[in-house]
DNA sequence: TATATATGTCAATATGGCTGACGTAATTTT
DNA sequence: AAAATTACGTCAGCCATATTGACATATATA
């Protein structure tokens, strides 16, 4: 009988699985002079077109200074464009350009290929179990705009407490 | 019909799930002045007692210079000890001390609590599906010593091609 | 003995986090 | 209309963790 009940095996599998999963993209990104940070930004801007800078900060949980560097590169090199918000013109709504779509699509293709290989032999019910597991692994207190979309929650009110 | 068939939702769930999963440990590690790198080293040394430095380099896929810094701290502060290999006395076999076991156990407890919450409502067959999925996500070409243990493979011969 | 291996270490560099401070434009509050 | 707040950008500097290249030491092997 396992005296501790700690899930060492799953902890370890998650480490290796995630390492190899992001490794696919890492290799490709190198060719563009980008890193994981760029991928994350591009991914969420692609998935949630018109995302505000503030939303992105909530999702990525980094500071605006850190985001600034990466975002500037993506803007300068034409992977993302900004448009002023129509209601609130202070906001910079972010959109992926065709060039940006192409890159994020290429990266998603690589990762999807790995996922498809891993899901071979797993039936739709099994896939739902995996989805359920992953969703339940995520913190749901103080969800950001993207998590609200994923979980289909009611918006939890304004955020953006001062961050300095 | 989805024209691309890209698994955007799973890609995204993996990002959030892993972020929150490692976030549990990150918080605790801060109190010790350690980072994720220390956790990874301590984890694998705990799980595979007597691991050589070279094995650890294979598993973590970092350079010995990067490992050196982190490992030195763990040794200096008494979380890990070295013993010379009995066959080959050049080797430094690594072992977690009771102090090291305590820390890695505390971290695994935090992560296990999240896993248990996430696994609530998933039956043993579902857990096996999740395990199968995670294992299948991992690269198995050129497996290191730890992956050989995980997958129950025959050793794939000597490694340690020159790394400079 | 000569060479190769396992490990450690010095020095320099890059990425991507962080904090603190400040500026500007636009919106909201008073 | 003036004041305060918000959304965003940016400068400067710090830290952790990764990198490459070079070299030293002890031990093993040919």
């Amino acid at each position: 009988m396992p005296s501790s009940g700690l899930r060492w095996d799953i902890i370890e599998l998650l480490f290796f699985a995630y390492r190899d999963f992001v490794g696919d993209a890492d290799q490709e990104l190198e060719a563009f002079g980008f890193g994981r940070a760029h991928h994350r930004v591009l991914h969420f801007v692609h998935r949630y077109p018109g995302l505000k800078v503030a939303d992105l900060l909530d999702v990525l949980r980094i500071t605006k200074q850190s985001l600034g560097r990466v975002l500037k590169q993506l803007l300068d090199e034409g992977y993302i464009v900004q448009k002023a918000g129509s209601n609130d013109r202070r906001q910079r709504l972010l959109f992926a350009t065709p060039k940006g779509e192409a890159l994020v699509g290429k990266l998603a293709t690589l990762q999807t290929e790995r996922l498809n290989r891993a899901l071979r032999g797993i039936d739709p019910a099994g896939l739902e179990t995996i989805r359920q597991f992953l969703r339940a692994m995520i913190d749901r207190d103080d969800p950001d705009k993207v998590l609200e979309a994923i979980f289909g929650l009611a918006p939890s009110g304004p955020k953006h407490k001062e961050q300095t």
Side-chain angles (χ1 to χ4, degrees), chain A residues 102-162:
Chain A
L103 176 53
V104 79
K106 185 184 270 185
L107 298 172
T109 300
L110 285 174
Q111 297 188 316
T112 295
E113 282 164 8
R114 179 180 298 271
L115 287 166
N116 284 341
R117 283 195 303 275
L119 292 169
R120 244 197 276 288
I122 291 178
D123 60 22
L127 177 55
E128 251 339 285
T129 300
I130 290 164
R131 251 193 266 266
Q132 177 190 337
F133 167 69
L134 292 176
R135 290 163 61 102
M137 284 289 286
I138 301 171
D139 283 333
R140 294 183 59 166
D141 46 299
D142 194 33
D144 54 57
K145 187 177 162 183
V146 165
L147 287 178
E148 279 165 6
I150 291 178
F151 289 112
L153 299 171
S156 66
K159 327 196 94 184
H160 323 317
K161 319 177 172 10
E162 205 32 50

Side-chain angles (χ1 to χ4, degrees), chain A residues 2-153:
Chain A
S3 56
S4 61
L6 298 180
R7 298 193 182 272
W8 294 111
D9 61 333
I10 309 268
I11 290 171
E12 214 163 88
L13 287 174
L14 275 168
F15 167 76
F16 287 113
Y18 195 77
R19 179 191 69 177
D20 291 345
F21 171 67
V22 297
D24 291 335
D26 285 347
Q27 277 195 280
E28 189 63 32
L29 285 160
E30 233 179 288
F32 291 80
F34 290 151
R36 276 182 210 178
H38 302 84
H39 186 191
R40 291 195 288 262
V41 170
L42 201 47
H43 169 92
F44 285 108
V45 169
H46 156 73
R47 283 274 288 171
Y48 304 90
L51 210 60
K52 291 182 296 177
V53 169
D55 295 327
L56 211 37
L57 292 175
D58 281 345
V59 173
L60 301 179
R61 294 201 192 154
I62 58 177
T63 58
K64 62 180 172 182
Q65 294 89 335
S66 295
L67 175 59
R69 262 188 315 222
V70 169
L71 186 53
K72 191 169 191 313
Q73 282 180 272
L74 291 168
L75 289 164
D76 288 350
E77 300 183 33
Y79 291 85
I80 285 179
V81 288
Q82 295 179 329
K83 297 183 190 177
S86 45
N87 298 334
D88 186 335
R89 298 199 6 252
R90 290 170 305 179
Q91 299 173 346
R92 307 303 161 90
L93 309 186
L94 303 171
F95 300 87
T97 63
K99 191 177 174 186
E101 297 287 344
L103 176 53
V104 79
K106 185 184 270 185
L107 298 172
T109 300
L110 285 174
Q111 297 188 316
T112 295
E113 282 164 8
R114 179 180 298 271
L115 287 166
N116 284 341
R117 283 195 303 275
L119 292 169
R120 244 197 276 288
I122 291 178
D123 60 22
L127 177 55
E128 251 339 285
T129 300
I130 290 164
R131 251 193 266 266
Q132 177 190 337
F133 167 69
L134 292 176
R135 290 163 61 102
M137 284 289 286
I138 301 171
D139 283 333
R140 294 183 59 166
D141 46 299
D142 194 33
D144 54 57
K145 187 177 162 183
V146 165
L147 287 178
E148 279 165 6
I150 291 178
F151 289 112
L153 299 171

